[in-house]
Amino acid sequence: MNSWWYDVVFAGRVLRKNWFSTMVILISLGIGIGANTAIFSVVDALLLRPLPYPQPDRLAGVWLHSPAIGIFRDWPSPGQFVDLKNENQSFEQMALAQIRPVTLTGREQPEHLDGMRTQSALLTMLGGKAQVGRLLLPEEDAPGKPPVAVLTDRVWRRLFNADPQVIGKTIVLDGDPFTVVGILQRGFRLSGEVMPAEGPMDRVDVFRPLPLAADAASSRRDENYNILVKLKPGVTVQQAQADLNVMASRVREKDKRGESFGMHITLLQDEVVGDVRRALLVLLGSVGLVLLIACANVANLLLARGSARQKEIAVRTAMGASWKQIARQLLTESVLLGALGGLVGLGVAQLSLFVVRAMNPGNIPRLEDIGINGSVMAFTFGVSLVTGILFGLAPVWRALKVDLNTSLKAGGRAGQADGGILVRRHRLRGLLVISELALSLMLLIGAGLLVRSFVRLEAVPPGFSPDHVLTMLVSIDGPKYQERKQRAAFFHEVERRISVLPGVVAQGQVEPLPMTGGVGWGSINVEGFIPVAGQELQVDLRNASADYFSSMRIPLVAGRFFDEHDTTDALPAMLVDERFAKRFWPNGDAVGKHLWFDPKKPFTIVGVVGAVKQYGLETDGKIAAYFAQQQFPSGGISLTVRTTGDPAAISSAVVQEIHAVDPTAVVFNVRTMEERVHDSLARQRFASTMLGAFAGFAVLLAAVGLYGVMSYLVTQSTRDIGVMVALGARSGDIIGLVMRQGMELAGIGIVAGVVGAVTLTRVMASLLFGISATDAVTFILVPMMLAGVAFAATVIPAWRTTRVDPVVALRDE
């Protein structure tokens, strides 16, 4: 124990004596370990840590899919829920739920809340407990019971000041009274990541019963519900899926569905992770490469330091120190460096997570759960220990090869035992530099692919002009808006008031708004088109006002836009996008044709408009058709206001005009359209930015490593250079020798990096848009750039050879 403590104390003295190189090492390790810690904390929260619900490995959601008609994930109906409940063999509990925004009125200002109608089993499955009052009761799953509501702790504190007397009081939701019967425990949350909704949702604020009537089994086309299930003990997801496949075949026969119709089950953990898993694993692998590069760099620094300590090691050996004692001392120094680097890394990780939260990337769910906890601390400790041992092996191996006689004969210049300008005399250092360059190139190519992919994605036309457009969601509910004409009159007056505001060019209304995640598809029949039996035509259905297209600058391709004649009393009109028109009327004669949901009520196509990227720039979505908002006015819709200046500057004026029409109208999610488009690219932007940062740091480390090795070789080869100059070698010859050897290292590293990148970038294929994983431009330009960096890192040490005075060099020898 005393011997171990002596090694630690001696290591501390050595590190303090060489404080400058120690600081360089700690900074390198701190960034490498910190980046790994930060990314691992994300991986821990999303992939390793279970969801905060009881037995989360048994909780799952059930979805529909019909690939033949372009539906790969759809919400089930009450009828399908009844089928599953009556026939399944795999589920211990089931609950039907429907997520819908609600408006809380009866207060000074109306409030928008994310609401859920559900059955009592849902909160039980998720471990919900009431801190005040009670939760939903099983008898409230049937109709005929008084309407009740359960609030989350967050809403209870924000809107009711955590008043326990709210229990038993009546609140008004969407114009209807509900009795508050309970408050959920603090910390309970159910977000759109766990139970995806048809529209954007943050987290559920209020829960209400969802009673199923006796005829619920016949409700088979109302497919906008979630089904949450809890697997029976011992039942695997694969067994549950086999059970679902059997039930799906019965549903196909009952509903005359196409052969591609099916059901699939997804664990809630996978719902949360979604398509983030691969991006996270790529980033985790990337920071692992950064750490390896940092280790190689530190190993090179320690080798250089070790060369100066050869006489010390020789003296200790001559005085009786065994090779085990020498190795233990050197490993203690490197492990101590690793531990100190880990402490620096924790600080870097905290700073990195702060930056990540500030960026608020859309590809990281459960962002508030990400942090430095016990598991992350243990990971950091383990990485620090392994790192210390890893980069400490090189100087240990080098020390064991010290020639005792040569080192002691060298007087005070032990370092000259390594003399010689040729890299082959320093194979280990050369190998470390080659490894750094190869790993750096792999990261650079990966970052280059993501950046080029992101640039191409940003250049995709969205089908509308997002600049100078203000957007907001407006919701009206209650008895006075039960009739279509009442809702139409409200929005007509809002339109009139907003249109005369200074700076307003055009304004419109639409639902769902592009780039918000809102879903609105359905089946439709097209004149002259006979679908395959059981494979109904599915299209995106949107509700738009007459001026929406001009406010968003969506072009008119044929026919006309909606106008003042398309009212609730007129024949129903529709617009279709150009992809819809080209599919069914490639000759351009879509105007005047008919679509229908009910054969007795045809819709006439009055115009063809440009196609819009509804769900994101990377996908085309389905073909689309638009209802006239004037004919089918919705109680909740998005406003789009085009302005001549900064759209955010008039947001308060627009909201005032809406409240002037009706003070109870709820206005929320006020943002510019440019912000929405920007946020829709958050996932790709975050991945490319992070990988680019890692690659930049890796290149910096590799350049420093190459510079350090070549500088060391020049310093150690002073005598050889002096002899060469004395024998008549010109400066250019010596510079060429050093440059050639430096670029040889770089060339080998670049070739190895390209080979490695060809293999590893295939993992990134699903993260790319518009380019392949072996994009030729990236694989040519990035190695050329790294070669330029290597040239710059070599040319300075090479130039220093011209300053060697042969007389001084030979006299010193």
Side-chain angles (χ1 to χ4, degrees), residues 306-325:
S307 296
R309 296 177 64 185
Q310 287 183 21
K311 183 178 179 181
E312 171 202 329
I313 294 172
V315 170
R316 294 178 66 183
T317 303
M319 295 179 65
S322 67
W323 69 269
K324 290 183 179 180
Q325 291 173 313

Side-chain angles (χ1 to χ4, degrees), residues 124-146:
T124 302
M125 282 188 281
L126 297 180
K129 291 181 174 55
Q131 60 174 307
V132 182
R134 65 171 176 85
L135 302 183
L136 303 179
L137 301 176
E139 53 264 31
E140 290 168 341
D141 295 340
K145 303 299 185 294

Side-chain angles (χ1 to χ4, degrees), residues 23 67 122 124 182 404 427 488 556 738 746 795:
M23 291 298 296
L122 184 134
T124 302
L404 185 64
R427 290 191 182 93
L556 180 67
V738 176
V795 72

Side-chain angles (χ1 to χ4, degrees), residues 382-436:
V383 168
S384 302
L385 181 63
V386 172
T387 299
I389 295 174
L390 185 63
F391 67 69
L393 290 177
V396 169
W397 178 82
R398 185 67 185 84
L400 296 180
K401 295 181 64 178
V402 171
D403 187 311
L404 185 64
N405 293 326
T406 302
S407 297
L408 292 176
K409 285 179 181 178
R413 300 181 305 277
Q416 292 290 41
D418 270 349
I421 197 169
L422 296 179
V423 173
R424 65 174 177 268
R425 298 183 185 178
H426 307 272
R427 290 191 182 93
L428 182 55
R429 291 190 183 87
L431 181 61
L432 290 172
V433 169
I434 290 171
S435 301
E436 289 183 63

Side-chain angles (χ1 to χ4, degrees), residues 421-423 430 433-434 437-438 441 702-703 705-707 709-711 713-714 734-752 782-798:
I421 197 169
L422 296 179
V423 173
V433 169
I434 290 171
L437 290 168
L441 183 62
L706 180 59
Y707 172 83
V709 166
M710 299 312 299
S711 294
L713 292 179
V714 169
I734 300 174
I735 291 175
L737 175 63
V738 176
M739 290 295 299
R740 182 170 62 251
Q741 296 196 45
M743 295 310 293
E744 282 178 1
L745 291 177
I748 297 172
I750 288 172
V751 170
V782 170
M784 290 175 61
M785 184 189 75
L786 187 61
V789 172
F791 179 86
T794 307
V795 72
I796 297 176

Side-chain angles (χ1 to χ4, degrees), residues 438-516:
L439 296 174
S440 299
L441 183 62
M442 291 163 60
L443 276 179
L444 269 179
I445 288 177
L449 290 173
L450 283 181
V451 170
R452 276 179 51 77
S453 170
F454 181 69
V455 170
R456 290 202 174 187
L457 186 58
E458 276 194 316
V460 172
F464 56 86
S465 178
D467 60 297
H468 298 289
V469 176
L470 177 71
T471 68
M472 62 189 69
L473 277 69
V474 180
S475 177
I476 52 172
D477 284 295
K480 61 182 178 181
Y481 293 116
Q482 294 299 313
E483 300 294 329
R484 286 184 182 180
K485 288 186 177 181
Q486 295 168 324
R487 297 193 294 271
F490 168 83
F491 284 110
H492 177 73
E493 179 62 15
V494 167
E495 178 181 299
R496 186 190 68 79
R497 286 174 171 269
I498 294 176
S499 62
V500 298
L501 287 175
V504 172
V505 177
Q507 63 83 39
Q509 302 148 28
V510 70
E511 188 60 32
L513 183 69
M515 306 292 176
T516 60

Side-chain angles (χ1 to χ4, degrees), residues 43 147 157 220 230 321 365 467 571 580 641 807:
V43 172
R157 294 180 185 278
R220 315 194 68 81
K230 185 174 185 179
D467 60 297
L571 293 175
F580 192 120
V641 183
V807 175

